[in-house]
Amino acid sequence: MEPTTAQSRLTPKGRPVYSSAMPRRDQAFISSDQLSESQIQELFESARLFKHEFQKTGKVTHCLKNPERMHNSVLALVFAEPSTRTRMSFQMAGARLGMRALALDNPQVASLSKGETIEDTLRNMGAMGPDLMVVRLDDLPDAENILRDIPCPVISGGIGTREHPTQALLDAYTIQEFRGQVKGEKVLFVGDVLHSRVANSNLLLLNRLGAEIAYCAPEAFQPKNERWKGVKSFRDLEEGFSWATVVMALRIQKERHQNVTIGLSTAEYREKFRIGGDQLKFLRDDGILLHPGPVIRGIEISDFAMNDSRCKVLDQVSNGVFVRMSLMSILLGLEVESR
Ligand code: CP
């Protein structure tokens, strides 16, 4: 069944992703750039409806005009890098929409360990005919094209240091929820900006939605690519926190530091860049503290700061399920409606 016009309005590039007539190259959701601003707002509105309905009734199927469409449908997950939040929230989102989820996330039990390439692994998974696949890849030079080449609809669950589009969507949704808008917000990234796909995707999306971006990071973690040219930076957290309405701490991505001279020890990082009570004193009362997770407690954020009422890290995680349900509904041609 083809999606209705209303659903099509929400699909990347305004086209029905579920349509077999659609060129395969349009079936992969890799960047929030594929959505217009009005599509993003509609996606947020569906997420808000799902959240409201779930909080009221513990279910979301009431929000779906055509929930039967999900019966016997299959969500496949292939994660070539570790994940807790992204993988589980996509599984949770799929389950709440009525899908069955199958995951391949341990190379030791997959034929990857026998020498099959990730490209062929994904082609084979696609050939089994899942209704939707979520894929996380490391920094393969051709990762985006590998995703576009999978013969079924695909959502990126993050690619190496490059992009993590659904994280950016859930972060923007959370900012809008707690701050009332994204436009005009002052978002400060703290920590390992250089290696963060989350920061890259957020920069793209939040800029488009009208937020102002800045960062505070040790020299070795400052972004180098063109995309970050001209972005404001602060030398110390106090100055940055006084400026920001939203602070987003980032994980120190140790697994990506093999070829990097960090120039400071973990103790030195903690001393200068850990977010604790002394830094939060400089954040306005209605400001918020975010982190995409996993949080390295005591080094990136103190226990005290994690317990501050302005810390919305677990709200990001909850919202991630609803935002991903919303995106999946769009890609699967489900109609979301308020009751
Ligand atoms: N935010 C995020 O991507 O977390 P995971 O790596 O646990 O999925």
Side-chain angles (χ1 to χ4, degrees):
M1 192 199 301
E2 288 293 316
T4 66
T5 310
Q7 296 149 14
S8 312
R9 274 194 295 121
L10 293 164
T11 44
K13 298 182 183 166
R15 300 172 70 179
V17 172
Y18 208 66
S19 163
S20 57
M22 205 184 81
R24 277 191 357 205
R25 281 191 163 263
D26 281 353
Q27 292 186 339
F29 180 74
I30 293 167
S31 172
S32 61
D33 272 358
Q34 289 168 260
L35 299 170
S36 70
E37 279 177 44
S38 65
Q39 287 170 332
I40 292 165
Q41 290 308 332
E42 287 180 68
L43 186 147
F44 286 176
E45 180 55 19
S46 295
R48 197 188 61 73
L49 288 174
F50 280 135
K51 184 170 182 174
H52 179 74
E53 188 63 23
F54 187 75
Q55 287 174 336
K56 209 167 68 177
T57 67
K59 290 197 175 89
V60 295
T61 36
H62 299 308
C63 298
L64 298 177
K65 207 168 170 185
N66 47 351
E68 68 286 349
R69 204 181 161 125
M70 287 296 91
H71 292 167
N72 300 318
S73 66
V74 175
L75 171 68
L77 301 110
V78 181
F79 276 59
E81 283 192 352
S83 170
T84 297
R85 277 144 293 274
T86 311
R87 189 179 68 115
M88 293 305 295
S89 73
F90 268 113
Q91 275 190 245
M92 191 74 78
R96 285 187 188 158
L97 289 173
M99 302 181 84
R100 297 176 63 157
L102 307 173
L104 178 68
D105 55 4
N106 181 356
Q108 296 311 315
V109 301
S111 290
L112 282 161
S113 66
K114 300 183 213 164
E116 187 171 36
T117 64
I118 186 71
E119 291 92 325
D120 279 336
T121 301
L122 292 169
R123 281 187 200 111
N124 279 269
M125 291 289 294
M128 292 178 205
D131 297 84
L132 183 63
M133 200 188 301
V134 180
V135 180
R136 172 169 286 186
L137 290 177
D138 53 26
D139 263 320
L140 300 170
D142 210 23
E144 290 80 2
N145 282 333
I146 292 171
L147 296 192
R148 290 187 190 107
D149 203 34
I150 300 170
C152 72
V154 173
I155 299 176
S156 165
I159 298 177
T161 56
R162 309 228 276 272
E163 275 235 45
H164 193 348
T166 60
Q167 180 70 42
L169 287 169
L170 76 89
D171 291 337
Y173 178 88
T174 305
I175 292 170
Q176 186 158 294
E177 180 176 78
F178 285 102
R179 294 283 309 154
Q181 69 281 313
V182 176
K183 193 177 167 68
E185 291 301 302
K186 294 179 171 173
V187 182
L188 176 73
F189 291 95
V190 175
D192 192 354
V193 185
L194 178 66
H195 301 103
S196 175
R197 57 184 167 224
V198 173
N200 281 334
S201 278
N202 265 296
L203 177 70
L204 272 179
L205 181 63
L206 297 179
N207 258 341
R208 276 179 71 209
L209 298 179
E212 207 180 326
I213 309 293
Y215 63 87
C216 182
E219 178 67 31
F221 294 162
Q222 291 179 7
K224 310 276 187 286
N225 66 27
E226 198 60 27
R227 193 182 283 180
W228 286 86
K229 215 169 171 184
V231 173
K232 190 194 293 283
S233 68
F234 290 99
R235 290 168 67 86
D236 58 58
L237 290 181
E238 290 73 16
E239 203 188 348
F241 274 53
S242 303
W243 171 85
T245 57
V246 177
V247 173
M248 191 177 303
L250 300 168
R251 183 173 67 84
I252 303 168
Q253 313 245 332
K254 277 203 164 144
E255 71 275 25
R256 308 195 201 280
H257 292 174
Q258 287 87 348
N259 302 318
V260 181
T261 308
I262 304 301
L264 82 172
S265 65
T266 303
E268 287 166 331
Y269 179 93
R270 185 180 179 281
E271 178 66 27
K272 193 149 190 274
F273 293 98
R274 187 193 68 159
I275 296 168
D278 285 347
Q279 290 70 41
L280 282 181
K281 279 193 284 203
F282 291 88
L283 182 64
R284 48 196 287 161
D285 290 345
D286 60 357
I288 57 172
L289 171 63
L290 305 177
H291 189 303
V295 176
I296 312 303
R297 276 184 186 255
I299 294 172
E300 294 158 358
I301 305 182
S302 71
D303 287 337
F304 178 87
M306 287 295 284
N307 290 328
D308 190 279
S309 61
R310 289 165 290 179
C311 178
K312 305 299 179 194
V313 169
L314 290 180
D315 295 282
Q316 286 172 274
V317 177
S318 303
N319 286 340
V321 178
F322 300 112
V323 167
R324 288 176 174 127
M325 283 173 61
S326 182
L327 179 65
M328 289 162 70
S329 304
I330 290 165
L331 299 187
L332 292 167
L334 292 172
E335 284 186 78
V336 182
E337 57 180 7
S338 59
R339 300 175 76 202

